[in-house]
């Protein structure tokens, strides 16, 4: 397994309101540190190759071209929102509201559609108002390095997409699948709102990147089908929303029923218009066992198999672990191996170029073991 990592993803470090207390965000740089340490010690045994994207020699002039990332970001997010993420921290600092090493959080949210849909009303000028305009919860603080890390995180899926794209045939060595150690994660944020530790939606960006790199000459293969399997404990509201009307992207999610983000994720959300039947939510009650989980996983795999995607994106969260502070399933370390093998051993899914995108997972003591267990199952290595 080729694993992509970027040191810049470690810079972002912020605070959140969790259980009515202001605390250091559980989505912290140590998550990536423990994952890297675990991958390093498991590396030889499981043919894991961790590559810092800065050290990659892709032999492709495109790779370092920032305009490609910019193009993919602009396809995935609202331009004013991107500008907000890039500039709001320095505005708060220059207004004397916070110090350079502090984070900002919203103090007021916009109630939709009452205000936002008012015609001609752009983003608010007030710096406090803007923090709440571009967010939907209090777990998405912005520090001086948030933009840098979010860009690096998105950059990992873009590079992963380039590597697995079948039409990038000039390369000699083409990986079938790539794991992007993204941080911050992405599946909760929408085109114009951060939330749930997410600022840029890496899964959405990955879809655009796959399409970008699937272009041969002028022949745009824009209809290529992509499936997203979201295995994070929480429903990926942002990803669901982005593709809700789009039949070329199948979104399938297994997540905690009635858990955060609370207002989405029900089985009745099946997509709309031509996207109808291309959104599949498989919620599971709290305290669900691995058997209950595997039952839903089999439904998910079957649906994706029927869809016959050209690419698969797995939004991979380990907050389904039994000890996770933000999850409530009963999955144990060895279960990740079973889950990964089930996905990969399916005839229809086994050969599809896949990007594994890291989402959540907050129990640091076992996070590394859980990922290694997943990779073991994915590579059928035992
Ligand atoms: C990417 C990701 O995993 N984001 C999750 C963010 C969740 N933040 C809010 C968690 C609220 C927890 N409230 C207590 C729920 C107890 N089951
Ligand atoms: Zn999660």
């Amino acid at each position: 397994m080729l694993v992509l990592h970027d040191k810049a993803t470690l810079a972002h470090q912020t605070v959140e309101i969790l259980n009515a207390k202001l605390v250091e965000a559980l989505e912290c740089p140590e998550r990536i540190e423990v994952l890297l340490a675990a991958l390093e010690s498991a590396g030889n045994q499981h043919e894991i190759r961790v590559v810092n994207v800065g050290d990659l020699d892709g032999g492709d002039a495109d790779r370092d071209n920032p305009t490609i990332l910019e193009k993919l970001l602009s396809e995935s997010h609202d331009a004013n929102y991107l500008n907000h993420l890039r500039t709001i921290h320095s505005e708060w600092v220059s207004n004397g509201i916070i110090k350079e090493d502090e984070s900002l959080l919203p103090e007021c949210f916009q109630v939709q559609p009452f205000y936002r849909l008012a015609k001609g009303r752009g983003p608010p000028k007030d710096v406090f108002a803007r923090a709440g305009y571009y967010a939907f919860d209090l777990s998405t603080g912005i520090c001086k390095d948030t933009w840098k890390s979010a860009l690096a995180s998105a950059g990992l899926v873009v590079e992963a997409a380039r590597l697995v794209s079948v039409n990038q045939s000039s390369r000699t060595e083409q990986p079938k699948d790539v794991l992007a150690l993204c941080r911050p994660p992405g599946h909760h944020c929408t085109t114009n709102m951060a939330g749930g530790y997410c600022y840029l939606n890496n899964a959405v960006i990955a879809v655009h990147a796959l399409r970008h790199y699937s272009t041969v000459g002028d022949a745009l293969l824009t209809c290529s089908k992509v499936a997203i399997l979201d295995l994070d404990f929480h429903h990926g509201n942002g990803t669901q929303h982005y593709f809700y009307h789009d039949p070329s992207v199948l979104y399938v999610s297994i997540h905690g029923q009635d858990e955060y983000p609370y207002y989405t994720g029900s089985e009745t959300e099946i997509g709309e218009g031509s996207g109808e039947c291309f959104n599949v939510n498989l919620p599971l009650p709290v305290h669900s066992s691995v058997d209950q989980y595997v039952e839903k996983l089999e439904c998910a795999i079957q649906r994706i198999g029927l869809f016959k995607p050209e690419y698969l994106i797995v939004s991979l969260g380990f907050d389904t672990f039994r000890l996770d502070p933000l999850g409530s399933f009963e999955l144990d370390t060895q279960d990740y191996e079973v889950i990964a093998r089930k996905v990969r051993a399916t005839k229809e899914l086994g050969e599809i170029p896949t990007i594994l995108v890291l989402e959540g997972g907050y129990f640091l003591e076992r996070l590394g073991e859980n990922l290694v267990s997943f990779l073991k199952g994915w590579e059928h290595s035992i």
Side-chain angles (χ1 to χ4, degrees):
M1 174 65 71
L2 175 61
V3 182
L4 299 184
H5 157 63
D6 188 330
K7 281 197 295 288
T9 63
L10 297 173
H12 163 71
Q13 184 157 24
T14 185
V15 290
E16 66 173 319
I17 301 280
L18 182 63
N19 303 329
K21 289 172 204 54
L22 183 67
V23 295
E24 292 285 324
L26 298 197
E27 200 293 286
C28 58
E30 290 74 32
R31 296 178 61 238
I32 299 298
E33 286 167 6
V34 300
L35 290 174
L36 288 172
L39 290 173
E40 191 174 337
S41 52
N44 291 337
Q45 215 181 332
H46 301 299
E47 292 178 25
I48 295 164
R49 190 160 66 96
V50 180
V51 174
N52 192 318
V53 287
D55 303 335
L56 257 189
D57 176 19
D60 184 336
D62 266 6
R63 191 169 62 73
D64 297 321
N65 186 345
T67 60
I68 289 176
L69 180 57
E70 265 168 44
K71 181 194 91 151
L72 300 170
L73 289 181
S74 72
E75 287 166 349
S76 309
H77 290 280
D78 172 87
N80 289 326
Y81 171 68
L82 294 171
N83 192 46
H84 165 78
L85 292 179
R86 194 166 52 77
T87 58
I88 190 72
H89 186 269
S90 61
E91 277 199 55
W92 277 48
V93 172
S94 59
N95 277 286
I97 308 162
I98 53 170
K99 298 198 192 78
E100 178 81 10
D101 62 351
E102 291 175 326
S103 293
L104 66 100
L105 277 177
E107 61 161 43
C108 186
F109 293 102
Q110 192 183 42
V111 181
Q112 292 193 55
F114 197 56
Y115 295 108
R116 183 162 277 186
L117 297 185
K119 272 206 168 58
R121 194 182 180 120
K125 294 202 170 39
D126 184 275
V127 287
F128 290 98
R130 252 179 285 148
Y133 183 79
Y134 289 118
F136 64 81
D137 73 2
L138 288 163
S139 69
T140 326
I142 294 180
C143 75
K144 72 175 186 344
D145 291 320
T146 298
W147 176 245
K148 168 175 148 179
S149 294
L151 270 188
S153 187
L156 292 177
V157 295
V158 175
E159 178 59 10
R162 191 183 72 83
L163 289 168
V164 303
S165 287
V166 289
N167 292 314
Q168 297 290 305
S169 54
S170 57
R171 272 189 324 279
T172 46
E173 203 187 326
Q174 176 154 38
K176 212 170 56 211
D177 33 38
V178 175
L179 164 63
L181 286 185
C182 293
R183 171 182 189 270
H187 74 154
H188 292 304
C189 63
T190 67
T191 55
N192 55 19
M193 277 190 268
Y197 307 139
C198 304
Y199 306 83
L200 298 176
N201 195 313
N202 301 314
V204 170
I205 294 164
V207 171
H208 287 297
L210 285 168
R211 287 184 175 157
H212 172 83
Y213 288 115
S214 298
T215 304
V216 188
D218 291 333
L220 267 175
L221 305 176
T222 45
C223 286
S224 66
K225 289 189 287 182
V226 183
I228 301 173
L229 174 60
D230 193 329
L231 300 180
D232 187 275
F233 174 78
H234 304 98
H235 179 241
N237 59 295
T239 312
Q240 163 174 302
H241 185 251
Y242 192 91
F243 297 113
Y244 210 60
H245 294 86
D246 186 346
S248 71
V249 178
L250 173 68
Y251 177 75
V252 183
S253 175
I254 304 170
H255 51 266
Q257 186 161 27
D258 302 326
E259 290 281 307
Y260 180 93
Y262 305 120
Y263 314 116
T264 61
S266 109
E267 277 162 358
T268 60
E269 296 156 23
I270 59 166
E272 262 171 28
S274 55
E276 198 172 308
C277 298
F278 294 94
N279 193 87
V280 180
N281 286 325
L282 301 168
L284 273 172
V286 295
H287 309 305
S288 282
S289 66
V290 63
D291 292 343
Q292 287 170 285
Y293 192 91
V294 164
E295 211 178 296
K296 294 289 180 198
L297 183 67
E298 280 166 356
C299 295
I301 289 170
Q302 195 183 26
R303 180 67 188 91
I304 296 171
L306 280 173
F307 181 65
K308 296 194 184 9
E310 284 145 78
Y311 296 100
L312 175 65
I313 294 168
V314 180
S315 269
L316 186 56
F318 291 96
D319 37 14
T320 47
F321 183 58
R322 63 186 175 85
L323 297 172
D324 195 279
L326 297 184
S328 58
F329 288 163
E330 299 293 336
L331 299 191
D332 213 332
T333 299
Q334 67 274 12
D335 300 330
Y336 292 105
E337 189 181 333
V338 174
I339 289 165
R341 185 175 295 112
K342 274 209 177 289
V343 176
R344 208 51 173 170
T346 310
K347 203 170 127 283
E348 290 79 7
L349 298 191
E351 296 302 313
I352 301 173
T354 300
I355 305 176
L356 302 172
V357 182
L358 184 66
E359 299 285 357
Y362 309 99
F363 189 73
L364 295 178
E365 293 83 347
R366 297 283 286 278
L367 191 56
E369 278 171 75
N370 291 342
L371 173 62
V372 170
S373 170
F374 184 93
L375 294 181
K376 201 166 149 191
W378 189 267
E379 309 270 38
H380 313 250
S381 60
I382 58 158

